[in-house]
Amino acid sequence: MQKHLELVQSMTQPKLEASNPWLVSGILRTQLQNVLYNKDQFKEIDEEFKDFGKFCNEVLYEFSVDAELNPPKLIKQDVYGNVVDKLVLGEGWKKEKEYAAKCGIVAMAYENKYGIWNRLIQLLRLQLYQPVSGLFGCPLAMTDGAAYLLKQWLTNPTTQCQETLKLVRQGFENLTSRDPSKFWTSGQWMTEKDGGSDVSNSTTTIAIHQGGNKYKLYGYKWFSSATDSEMTLALARIVPEKNIEDFKKYPLSLFIMRVKKDDGSLNNIRIMTMKDKMGTRQLPTAELLLQGSEAFLISEEGKGIKGISHMLNVTRLYNASSAIGSMNRLYSIVVNYSLKRKAFGQVLIEKPAHQAMLTKFNLNVRACSLFYFKVAQLFSKIQNNVASKDDEEMFRILTPLLKLYTAKICMYWMSEGIEALGALGYMENSYIPLMLRDAQVLTIWEGTTNVLCLDFLRALKSNDKNDPLQKLDVYARFHTHVMMTQLSADTQLPETRKTFIPYIAKMTINHNGVIAELSNILQGSIKYSEMRIRDLCFILCESFVGGQMLELISKNGREEDIISFELWVEQMQSYTTTWSITPKAFDILVKENIIKSKL
């Protein structure tokens, strides 16, 4: 009996382990090899990424766990009752910041080691880092977005004010530094109590002119996710003191400001409270009261939205990199576990139902990775001034689609992955549940799905009133070219190409149906277009990914690429106008049955 008790007590569960993220699905590695014609350069990057992937698993992951176990705390008062608003950060969070600088997570994007593909390679490396960053990737997204904006501003400054120029130069240099003692992060303080994405109408922060290019900001920032940053960019309305009551009629401007003064005290900022969030607990997110915070105008007066829009493209790419990196990491953990865990006399990897789930998981990681790679490639060309006008239009059109699609797919597979790990995946001290909690923010931050669908529509609207479909035509040509090239050109697989025709036909029907409906929406001929736009966006994303898979076949011709393409098209939603929420359905199912609160 004692031996039996000793036996059962000695039994353990298989350990949950992640593989090297650069080698897991291999699709981004393959795509990078397709883009880089210099084999020696690819070999150098490949080796560096393998080493970095190992470093992520063995070093950065431990810091991310510490950041989860030791979340930030706010000390409002000292023992004597003095308001101190002291933010206490865990050691893991501090280490993540130190290594973010040393590893050049942001800096790499502004160096010129890889020419026109510098940004592309930085973004590929970023998705290895994100899942083990302890959410430090969030302030880095805003840091990178701010650096991108400040770099552009320095080429065409809106003022010659020396204080402003000095702060902007210092900001850019520190945001892109590899020296931990100099490295800054930046906030992006836009969200206020009245709303999130609708900043034009919800912003109540005002700016009072102090002379020259200096202002004082007064307002309440409701959701600031970089409370420990050294600087921030903030939106406010420049209002004459005599007209403060009518502040809403003044348009938004963009300001740069230090979070702390030279003596280390806060820049007339009160940290009101820390946010108690479902996930992202490692991240110091707070409500801030600006009580005359000194700031400098860096946009043209009243044109702050235009300035901040450059940041959004960067932060949305970070959002997508986090989604893909998280899926990739959890997929590798599930595969590793499947090789060890036995059920009904076999290891899980040998069970057909489990094989089907893993195949679908792999397919979705591939799909999102290909989407991400194409948008990253376009951005790299834009940042290096070699993009065509069509490239720029495609980047603007695809970025909101990439963000909404990868975030949604990630949420589904985080849940599915936890289920595949059984009870181990459900236990908090396995640190798997935090992946699900943290992933939920990806569908919210930088625009919810519905907001991004509307932003996609905005991106399609032409500035030319005589040609309202100009930008839609750019997208349609881009996607159609991929399909037609595969059908007509000599590829590595001329015989196999014939088998693709039914799949390409389905993609074409889906694509053309969505394009036709978007055309009607843009011309104003469909009422209640917003009710349909969400369906259209997801169908369009699936068609676009199918096109990227098809293009990959023409470059590589590998069996795994062919199978992925065929499986992807088979599971795509079919375009149809018969299944869509209608105004009539809304009126009958919702409006007529609204639950009225009791008096």
Side-chain angles (χ1 to χ4, degrees):
M1 185 66 72
Q2 184 61 34
K3 285 186 177 180
H4 180 72
L5 291 176
E6 289 173 0
L7 171 67
V8 295
Q9 288 184 85
S10 68
M11 295 173 71
T12 59
Q13 290 278 322
K15 188 177 180 181
L16 301 181
E17 296 177 298
S19 303
N20 189 313
W22 181 236
L23 303 176
V24 175
S25 66
I27 197 68
L28 291 175
R29 192 168 175 241
T30 299
Q31 281 289 70
L32 181 60
Q33 196 166 14
N34 289 335
V35 166
L36 296 178
Y37 297 109
N38 187 323
K39 292 182 179 179
D40 290 335
Q41 188 181 54
F42 171 75
K43 186 177 179 181
E44 176 192 336
I45 296 168
D46 193 40
E47 290 303 315
E48 193 273 320
F49 276 26
K50 287 177 189 174
D51 290 342
F52 185 65
K54 185 179 179 183
F55 179 75
C56 286
N57 280 351
E58 294 178 359
V59 179
L60 294 183
Y61 175 68
E62 294 302 321
F63 296 145
S64 72
V65 170
D66 183 89
E68 169 73 8
L69 295 176
N70 298 285
K73 297 179 178 64
L74 175 64
I75 298 175
K76 286 294 295 178
Q77 296 183 163
D78 66 15
V79 68
Y80 308 106
N82 299 306
V83 175
V84 292
D85 285 350
K86 182 180 179 181
L87 192 60
V88 180
L89 302 169
E91 192 61 27
W93 181 260
K94 293 176 184 177
K95 282 291 186 182
E96 288 286 0
K97 182 175 183 178
E98 176 188 334
Y99 279 100
K102 287 180 178 178
C103 296
I105 303 298
V106 173
M108 189 178 177
Y110 300 92
E111 297 163 350
N112 296 311
K113 187 175 180 180
Y114 302 110
I116 64 167
W117 299 129
N118 211 65
R119 171 62 82 168
L120 170 66
I121 291 165
Q122 181 254 352
L123 287 169
L124 295 184
R125 192 166 177 258
L126 178 67
Q127 60 89 33
L128 310 180
Y129 167 81
Q130 289 274 40
V132 295
S133 70
L135 265 294
F136 202 79
C138 176
L140 290 187
M142 294 178 281
T143 298
D144 198 341
Y148 185 69
L149 187 151
L150 296 185
K151 184 180 181 183
Q152 291 181 312
W153 189 90
L154 285 167
T155 62
N156 187 26
T158 55
T159 178
Q160 291 303 312
C161 168
Q162 291 305 304
E163 280 187 284
T164 309
L165 287 165
K166 181 181 177 182
L167 179 55
V168 171
R169 288 194 189 102
Q170 182 186 17
F172 177 73
E173 289 172 6
N174 289 17
L175 295 174
T176 58
S177 176
R178 286 178 179 259
D179 183 346
S181 67
K182 294 180 181 178
F183 180 58
W184 282 5
T185 57
S186 176
Q188 180 182 297
W189 297 350
M190 294 191 293
T191 305
E192 302 198 1
K193 286 188 176 183
D194 254 8
S197 299
D198 188 13
V199 292
S200 293
N201 294 311
S202 64
T203 301
T204 57
T205 300
I206 61 172
I208 304 299
H209 193 214
Q210 301 298 304
N213 197 48
K214 188 183 294 185
Y215 293 78
K216 285 191 175 181
L217 305 190
Y218 298 84
Y220 201 106
K221 296 300 181 182
W222 177 244
F223 219 95
S224 62
S225 287
T227 311
D228 61 327
S229 61
E230 286 79 8
M231 61 158 280
T232 190
L233 298 177
L235 292 170
R237 304 178 192 274
I238 298 175
V239 181
E241 286 194 62
K242 62 182 179 181
N243 295 339
I244 287 178
E245 289 183 1
D246 296 323
F247 72 91
K248 281 249 178 174
K249 74 179 185 181
Y250 294 90
L252 293 172
S253 299
L254 183 63
F255 298 84
I256 183 172
M257 59 179 278
R258 291 289 305 271
V259 175
K260 292 182 179 179
K261 301 175 184 177
D262 291 338
D263 64 5
S265 62
L266 290 169
N267 180 10
N268 299 323
I269 300 167
R270 282 196 62 192
I271 304 176
M272 303 304 289
T273 185
M274 300 296 288
K275 290 291 192 182
D276 186 10
K277 300 164 291 180
M278 167 188 170
T280 67
R281 296 169 184 170
Q282 313 93 312
L283 187 63
T285 307
E287 297 175 26
L288 304 176
L289 182 66
L290 310 186
Q291 301 174 302
S293 305
E294 185 179 280
F296 297 88
L297 179 66
I298 59 167
S299 71
E300 294 179 49
E301 187 170 335
K303 295 186 178 179
I305 297 294
K306 182 180 178 181
I308 211 80
S309 64
H310 295 295
M311 292 183 68
L312 291 177
N313 288 327
V314 177
T315 51
R316 285 174 179 175
L317 275 165
Y318 269 72
N319 200 95
S321 79
S322 185
I324 294 160
S326 297
M327 281 192 287
N328 199 42
R329 180 176 177 82
L330 187 54
Y331 169 73
S332 79
I333 291 170
V334 172
V335 170
N336 189 286
Y337 181 73
S338 303
L339 294 166
K340 303 171 184 175
R341 178 67 169 169
K342 288 186 177 180
F344 303 103
Q346 289 179 302
V347 288
L348 287 177
I349 198 78
E350 294 175 357
K351 306 299 290 184
H354 201 74
Q355 291 171 357
M357 182 276 296
L358 286 175
T359 303
K360 289 179 184 177
F361 201 163
N362 179 288
L363 187 63
N364 279 270
V365 174
R366 283 171 167 265
C368 291
S369 297
L370 284 170
F371 199 164
Y372 177 67
F373 187 93
K374 176 56 68 175
V375 179
Q377 197 176 1
L378 290 170
F379 187 40
S380 203
K381 291 169 73 175
I382 291 167
Q383 186 167 324
N384 286 278
N385 301 312
V386 295
S388 66
K389 183 65 177 173
D390 281 4
D391 287 337
E392 292 176 358
E393 296 288 7
M394 281 300 295
F395 177 70
R396 173 66 182 94
I397 291 166
L398 289 173
T399 303
L401 290 178
L402 172 72
K403 191 273 184 184
L404 74 88
Y405 189 72
T406 54
K408 276 294 186 186
I409 298 297
C410 178
M411 271 307 299
Y412 175 84
W413 285 104
M414 288 298 102
S415 176
E416 193 75 17
I418 284 177
E419 181 183 339
L421 297 173
L424 277 183
Y426 194 67
M427 302 305 293
E428 285 290 351
N429 57 350
S430 72
Y431 306 113
I432 299 297
L434 76 89
M435 296 183 75
L436 176 63
R437 290 197 307 273
D438 289 348
Q440 183 66 71
V441 80
L442 300 176
T443 64
I444 300 168
W445 183 50
E446 302 300 23
T448 61
T449 304
N450 287 342
V451 166
L452 290 164
C453 288
L454 298 179
D455 188 50
F456 163 70
L457 262 187
R458 190 185 299 121
L460 284 180
K461 287 180 180 175
S462 173
N463 298 324
D464 186 351
K465 293 182 180 179
N466 297 319
D467 187 7
L469 305 181
Q470 178 189 21
K471 295 184 180 181
L472 182 62
D473 288 343
V474 170
Y475 178 87
R477 287 198 309 271
F478 183 92
H479 185 71
T480 303
H481 173 74
V482 172
M483 293 186 287
M484 296 311 296
T485 299
Q486 178 62 27
L487 282 171
S488 61
D490 289 330
T491 68
Q492 297 176 28
L493 298 166
E495 293 301 318
T496 310
R497 191 190 322 133
K498 296 174 185 176
T499 67
F500 294 160
I501 293 175
Y503 298 101
I504 294 175
K506 179 178 178 180
M507 280 175 54
T508 304
I509 291 169
N510 277 10
H511 177 260
N512 291 347
V514 173
I515 295 298
E517 194 164 347
L518 286 171
S519 174
N520 290 331
I521 290 171
L522 291 170
Q523 294 178 91
S525 55
I526 291 185
K527 210 173 181 182
Y528 306 108
S529 61
E530 286 185 17
M531 281 195 159
R532 180 70 170 153
I533 189 60
R534 187 162 168 150
D535 293 341
L536 298 179
C537 282
F538 278 95
I539 296 169
L540 203 63
C541 287
E542 289 186 343
S543 294
F544 182 80
V545 167
Q548 294 307 297
M549 289 182 167
L550 191 61
E551 191 173 51
L552 187 63
I553 293 170
S554 68
K555 292 177 180 177
N556 294 83
R558 300 178 308 179
E559 186 178 17
E560 65 183 79
D561 300 325
I562 295 168
I563 291 172
S564 293
F565 170 68
E566 292 175 349
L567 284 174
W568 184 255
V569 176
E570 283 177 0
Q571 61 89 51
M572 279 172 56
Q573 298 180 66
S574 293
Y575 173 78
T576 173
T577 55
T578 58
W579 169 238
S580 181
I581 302 301
T582 62
K584 182 179 179 181
F586 169 76
D587 287 341
I588 293 173
L589 298 177
V590 180
K591 199 171 181 180
E592 291 181 7
N593 293 284
I594 288 175
I595 301 169
K596 303 205 172 41
S597 57
K598 294 180 181 179
L599 295 176

